[in-house]
């Protein structure tokens, strides 16, 4: 009978991948494979500007997904994000059309999301109502406000807005927009908050086991309200970035964005039940969605609905992967 040396066991344990990292690594591997397929099929796909364009086209989605990451980490959900994005863009376009100073418009627009998010968080906590129902009500309210502001699209012609929308930050022969820099700044702040602050630790603890977190004396209610406020703030920022991208506000803009955001977060490795996930994984999830859209655009023969079909398949696959990882760790 032979025994395994202790040193060998220690080496194996050192190189074993923690189960919570498996979904994120799977997303990274998927992203690399998809990018490799694009490079092998289309010569122009290897251009660095193609990667930058993915960030440019999805900067607003990335910001909203960061806010959703906080919510899902606590085991909640926020269905109002797409409508809040649209309402922020509509309010911005309407106020700019009326001649309000852009700085004041920015301030008002940035307050819309957090106020609604705070209100929904308070209702969820104090009245003990499921987040799905509360945020669904928030979604209808925000979308209704969009139509109340204007039933048609409102163009933005303000000088500051158009300048911010059209500005280019040169990186050698390539470029990014101001929206990309803002999105990356939001990602950096969110990653730091989750990794190194008390709020971040409370978010993970509540998502892992809210009853245990409550018994430990953690501020469960305050943290839940905070994450919905953060999600609202990110939605407001996303709405401003979307208004930069389209230079307009429309009542039906960003319809279904909440589903894309949830898909990006889940594909990025965040558990729907909460307690496990990373902002870096969310970034990868958004990039996966962007690469899918770019591949379909480069192909030119596929309908845009193939994006939804592929995303649906990936979502099923990653939910199953999360389930399998959860079973192995029990």
């Amino acid at each position: 009978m032979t025994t395994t040396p202790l040193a060998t066991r220690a080496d194996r344990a050192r190189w074993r991948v923690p189960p919570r990292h498996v979904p994120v690594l799977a997303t990274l591997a998927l992203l690399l494979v998809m990018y490799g397929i694009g490079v092998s099929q289309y010569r122009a796909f290897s251009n660095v500007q193609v990667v930058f364009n993915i960030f440019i086209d999805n900067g607003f989605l990335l910001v909203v997904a960061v806010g959703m990451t906080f919510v899902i980490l606590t085991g909640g959900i926020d269905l109002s994000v797409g409508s809040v994005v649209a309402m922020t863009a509509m309010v911005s376009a309407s106020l700019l059309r009326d001649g309000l100073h852009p700085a004041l418009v920015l301030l008002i627009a940035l307050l819309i999301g957090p106020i609604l998010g705070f209100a929904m968080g308070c209702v969820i906590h104090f009245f003990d109502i499921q987040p799905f129902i509360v945020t669904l009500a928030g979604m209808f309210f925000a979308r209704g406000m969009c139509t109340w502001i204007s039933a048609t699209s409102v163009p933005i012609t303000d000088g500051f807005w158009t300048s911010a929308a059209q500005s280019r930050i040169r990186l050698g022969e390539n470029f990014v927009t101001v929206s990309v820099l803002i999105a990356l700044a939001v990602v950096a702040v969110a990653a730091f908050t989750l990794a190194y602050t008390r709020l971040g630790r409370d978010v993970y603890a509540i998502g892992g086991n809210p009853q245990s977190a409550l018994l430990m004396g953690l501020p469960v209610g305050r943290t839940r309200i905070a994450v919905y406020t953060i999600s609202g703030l990110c939605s407001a920022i996303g709405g401003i970035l979307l208004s930069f991208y389209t230079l307009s506000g429309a009542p039906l803009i960003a319809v279904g964005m909440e589903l894309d955001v949830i898909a990006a977060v889940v594909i990025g490795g965040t558990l729907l039940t909460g307690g496990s996930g990373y902002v870096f994984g969310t970034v990868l999830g958004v990039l996966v969605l962007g690469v899918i859209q770019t591949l379909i655009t480069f192909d030119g023969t596929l309908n845009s609905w193939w994006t939804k079909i592929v995303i649906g398949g990936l979502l099923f696959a990653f939910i199953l992967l999360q389930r399998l990882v959860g079973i192995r760790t029990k």
Side-chain angles (χ1 to χ4, degrees):
M1 180 178 180
T2 60
T3 58
T4 304
L6 293 178
T8 303
R9 293 178 182 176
D11 291 338
R12 289 178 180 175
R14 188 182 302 115
W15 291 103
R16 187 177 298 148
V17 177
R20 66 180 181 276
H21 293 164
V22 172
V24 179
L25 293 176
T27 306
L28 178 59
L30 173 65
L31 179 62
L32 294 176
V33 169
M34 291 173 60
Y35 184 75
I37 292 173
V39 171
S40 65
Q41 295 294 319
Y42 313 103
R43 180 180 301 177
F45 208 91
S46 59
N47 193 318
V48 176
Q49 188 59 50
V50 171
V51 178
F52 288 164
N53 287 342
I54 293 175
F55 280 100
I56 293 171
D57 294 338
N58 296 279
F60 55 88
L61 182 67
L62 177 56
V63 172
V64 181
V66 167
M68 184 68 77
T69 303
F70 278 82
V71 173
I72 293 181
L73 280 174
T74 62
I77 200 75
D78 188 353
L79 299 179
S80 69
V81 293
S83 297
V84 173
V85 166
M87 184 170 67
T88 303
M90 283 294 293
V91 168
S92 300
S94 178
L95 293 178
L96 289 170
R97 180 190 58 187
D98 294 340
L100 203 63
H101 194 278
L104 190 55
V105 173
L106 277 175
L107 178 61
I108 295 173
L110 286 175
L111 288 176
I112 292 172
I115 290 174
L116 183 58
F118 177 81
M120 291 189 298
C122 288
V123 172
I124 290 169
H125 171 61
F126 291 111
F127 294 92
D128 195 24
I129 302 176
Q130 288 295 322
F132 180 91
I133 299 299
V134 176
T135 58
L136 183 65
M139 179 185 75
F140 285 125
F141 170 79
R143 187 63 66 179
M145 288 296 295
C146 290
T147 307
W148 178 75
I149 293 170
S150 176
T152 59
S153 178
V154 180
I156 297 176
T157 58
D158 177 77
F160 171 79
W161 234 259
T162 55
S163 176
Q166 297 170 2
S167 62
R168 300 288 184 267
I169 293 90
R170 306 299 303 187
L171 298 173
E173 297 180 354
N174 305 294
F175 68 88
V176 294
T177 61
V178 173
S179 296
V180 174
L181 299 184
I182 295 174
L184 294 179
V186 171
V187 168
V189 172
F192 178 84
T193 300
L194 286 175
Y196 299 108
T197 67
R198 180 178 178 180
L199 174 62
R201 292 190 293 271
D202 291 345
V203 166
Y204 281 108
I206 293 170
N209 192 322
Q211 296 301 323
S212 297
L214 190 62
L215 293 174
M216 291 169 59
L218 298 180
V220 175
R222 188 170 64 195
T223 303
R224 279 181 173 158
I225 294 172
V227 297
Y228 285 96
T229 305
I230 291 171
S231 179
L233 175 61
C234 289
S235 297
I237 297 173
I240 293 172
L241 298 186
L242 183 58
S243 70
F244 286 164
Y245 187 75
T246 61
L247 281 179
S248 66
L252 296 180
I253 199 170
V255 170
M257 179 184 284
E258 59 277 354
L259 304 181
D260 292 334
V261 169
I262 294 170
V265 174
V266 174
I267 290 173
T270 300
L271 292 179
L272 272 173
T273 52
S276 179
Y278 304 94
V279 172
F280 175 68
T282 297
V283 175
L284 294 178
V286 172
L287 291 177
V288 166
L289 302 192
V291 170
I292 293 172
Q293 295 168 348
T294 305
L295 284 172
I296 291 175
T297 301
F298 267 75
D299 182 88
T301 61
L302 296 175
N303 190 289
S304 60
W305 279 104
W306 274 100
T307 303
K308 303 297 183 183
I309 295 172
V310 175
I311 291 173
L314 289 177
L315 197 55
F316 274 119
F318 274 86
I319 290 173
L320 290 175
L321 176 63
Q322 291 178 0
R323 180 61 177 169
L324 291 174
V325 171
I327 293 174
R328 287 184 57 188
T329 55
K330 289 182 179 180

